[in-house]
Structure formats: C-alpha cells, structure tokens
C-alpha cells in the first residue's frame, strides 16, 4: 500500500489547504469553542474539507481520522490496516494569536506506526515531509540538517509555547548537561525541530492527541530520531482505544 502512495500528492494537498488557511488568516475570522473548550475557526473546517475530499478522491479505500471529523468507534477502526491521521490546523491557538507557528498535519499510519508524514507551516513556508525508507526532508533538504556534537556541554531543548506544564519544566531542569538552552515553539514544529537538529530534545509531559503528533512523528523517525513514551521508553503507538497520547519525549 505505501508504495502506491505518492508523497508529492500529499505535499500538494497540504499546500492547497495552507493556501486556503492563509486567505482566512490574513483577514478577520470567527472563533468558536468546542465542547472541550478548544478553539475552532473557519480555517480549521475549510482545511479539513480540502484535505479529506482530496484524500478520498485519490485513495478512496483508505479511511480517514481527523480532529475535525466525528470519530469512528474503536471496534471498527482497530481493524484498519492503513489510515490517514489529520490535524487540519495544529496550533489553532497560535493561529488565533497570529504568531505564524501553526501547521497542516497529514500522516499515514500503518497499524500503529506513522509511515508517511507531511507537516506544512504556510505562514513561514516551511514544508517537512517523510516516507518510510525514503528519508525526511525540510524544503527538500535531507534531515537532520545539523547535529549537536557536545550534548554533555549544552543541550538545546524545545518546549510548548502555549502548554508548558510544571512536569515538563521539571524534566528539563533535571537534564544532565552543563548548560540548557530552552526555546518555545508552537504546534508540531517542536517535533520537526528535533528532526531537523535545531533541538536535541522535546519533552511533552502534558496532554496531546494522536493527530497532534502523527505527521511530525513520521518525520522524526525518518530523520533517525524517535518519539518515546515517557513511562516505558517505548516508541509511541497510534490508533489506540483512547486517542489521547501518553506523555512523551522526542530525541
């Protein structure tokens, strides 16, 4: 199945969604709030429509899981071999603040592992993409772009701009290195920074959902890094009964 999917088709869909998002981003827009109090804009819904309709047209036999769609019962989706995992806009809070740090996330999951991912940040024109066995890229440059050769001397740590928990900060403060340089970033760009080599580690000891991480996790893995579950140091798993991610560390 994976060999039948053209990565550049998914890149094109992400760019198409990004273009529609930017048209809304550059004007006034309405903000609603979902039952869990998370924000929702017309851009989320427009991007979701573009992504889902195009994926359905190109790959009608692959089911879709999106943050903005009604979720399929676990009894049905646990039988899925491959499926798309989508967050039309990851970092809606960043989108609302207009700080440019939001992304379009499209991942392909095989059983419980991300095997293809596209992360597009339309406001800053950064495109991350990866397909299992073919490497990871940022704007067509192979990742990682840089490597920290002296982590015992200094660690570059990235953390959430809008959701930095006490537990995450405590983890960062206890890292074994002489100096820590900590940077805040929005959305799935944090995982991409580790894949790129701009950051050595991204700890997230706070809630996220599977669609928040899936696409960037594919990029991380193809860049030779890994997203580990905090509690057992095993790789992150997808299509769980509960779609809430465990705490994790990307390194």
């Amino acid at each position: 199945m994976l060999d039948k999917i053209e990565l550049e088709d998914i890149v094109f869909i992400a760019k198409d969604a990004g273009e529609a998002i930017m048209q809304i981003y550059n004007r006034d827009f309405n903000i609603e709030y979902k039952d869990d109090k998370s924000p929702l804009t017309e851009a989320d819904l427009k991007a979701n429509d573009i992504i889902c309709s195009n994926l359905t047209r190109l790959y009608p036999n692959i089911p879709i899981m999106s943050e903005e769609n009604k979720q399929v019962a676990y009894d049905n989706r646990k039988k899925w071999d491959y499926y798309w995992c989508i967050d039309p806009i990851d970092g809606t809070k960043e989108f609302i603040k207009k700080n440019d740090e939001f992304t379009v996330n499209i991942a392909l999951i095989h059983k419980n592992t991300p095997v293809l991912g596209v992360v597009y940040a339309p406001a800053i024109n950064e495109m991350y993409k990866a397909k299992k066995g073919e490497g990871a890229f940022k704007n067509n440059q192979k990742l990682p772009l840089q490597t920290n050769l002296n982590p015992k001397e200094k660690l570059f740590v990235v953390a959430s701009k809008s959701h930095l928990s006490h537990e995450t900060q405590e983890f960062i403060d206890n890292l074994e290195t002489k100096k820590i340089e900590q940077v805040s970033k929005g959305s799935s760009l944090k995982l991409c920074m580790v894949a790129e080599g701009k950051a050595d580690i991204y700890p997230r000891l706070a809630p996220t959902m599977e669609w928040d991480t899936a696409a960037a996790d594919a990029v991380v893995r193809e860049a030779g890094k890994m997203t580990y579950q905090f509690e057992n140091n095993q790789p992150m798993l997808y299509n769980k009964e509960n779609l809430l991610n465990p705490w994790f560390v990307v390194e």
Side-chain angles (χ1 to χ4, degrees):
M1 174 67 80
L2 185 60
D3 60 354
K4 292 184 172 66
I5 293 169
E6 290 292 335
L7 181 57
E8 291 310 309
D9 285 345
I10 312 308
V11 166
F12 184 84
I13 292 170
K15 283 185 174 177
D16 203 14
E19 194 174 308
I21 288 166
M22 291 308 295
Q23 287 176 3
I24 297 168
Y25 186 64
N26 290 324
R27 61 168 169 78
D28 291 333
F29 50 82
N30 295 323
I31 304 164
E32 299 172 26
Y33 289 88
K34 295 186 271 191
D35 292 344
D36 64 359
K37 303 292 189 287
S38 61
L40 177 72
T41 72
E42 56 190 292
D44 293 88
L45 300 175
K46 179 67 175 174
N48 189 57
D49 182 52
I50 289 168
I51 295 165
C52 293
S53 61
N54 277 287
L55 289 176
T56 301
R57 176 177 57 81
L58 289 173
Y59 306 104
N61 298 322
I62 302 179
I64 294 173
M65 176 192 291
S66 169
E67 178 179 13
E68 306 309 342
N69 292 352
K70 187 174 186 297
Q71 298 313 319
V72 175
Y74 181 64
D75 280 350
N76 291 331
R77 61 181 171 80
K78 71 181 179 183
K79 304 181 186 105
W80 291 351
D81 192 30
Y82 283 89
Y83 72 97
W84 299 106
C85 186
I86 299 158
D87 193 344
I89 300 181
D90 182 40
T92 301
K93 286 185 177 179
E94 317 309 329
F95 179 86
I96 292 166
K97 291 174 190 169
K98 297 208 172 189
N99 71 11
D100 293 352
E101 294 179 9
F102 55 89
T103 55
V104 177
N105 291 355
I106 307 174
L108 182 70
I109 312 291
H110 178 44
K111 300 195 185 297
N112 57 18
T113 303
V115 292
L116 180 151
V118 169
V119 177
Y120 180 46
I124 54 177
N125 199 30
E126 289 185 355
M127 173 68 73
Y128 296 87
K129 62 183 180 181
K131 186 176 177 182
K132 190 174 182 181
E134 296 183 9
F137 300 85
K138 176 189 180 182
N139 295 343
N140 292 321
Q141 289 185 285
K142 199 169 192 323
L143 302 182
L145 296 179
Q146 59 197 76
T147 304
N148 180 3
L149 299 176
N150 296 295
K152 291 290 184 191
E153 295 295 316
K154 185 176 183 180
L155 275 176
F156 296 86
V157 182
V158 63
S160 176
K161 184 161 274 188
S162 299
H163 307 274
L164 181 59
S165 70
H166 168 74
E167 291 86 353
T168 303
Q169 190 60 58
E170 192 173 18
F171 176 92
I172 292 168
D173 293 341
N174 288 319
L175 287 169
E176 291 183 8
T177 185
K178 288 182 183 174
K179 189 176 180 187
I180 293 171
E181 185 167 320
Q182 188 171 331
V183 61
S184 295
K185 200 81 171 175
S187 72
S188 57
L189 289 169
K190 293 182 287 295
L191 290 95
C192 293
M193 283 180 71
V194 178
E196 189 175 342
K198 272 189 179 175
D200 298 306
I201 188 167
Y202 164 39
R204 182 63 179 245
L205 280 58
T208 55
M209 301 299 290
E210 291 188 6
W211 43 72
D212 293 323
T213 57
D217 196 357
V219 175
V220 164
R221 295 178 193 217
E222 275 302 295
K225 317 291 178 76
M226 183 51 75
T227 305
Y228 294 104
Q229 298 176 54
F230 177 76
E231 62 193 28
N232 60 18
N233 221 31
Q234 295 296 306
M236 280 259 278
L237 300 174
Y238 293 82
N239 203 18
K240 307 183 306 298
E241 184 167 5
N242 183 348
L243 295 170
L244 189 70
N245 282 329
W247 289 0
F248 63 84
V249 178
V250 187
E251 57 185 337

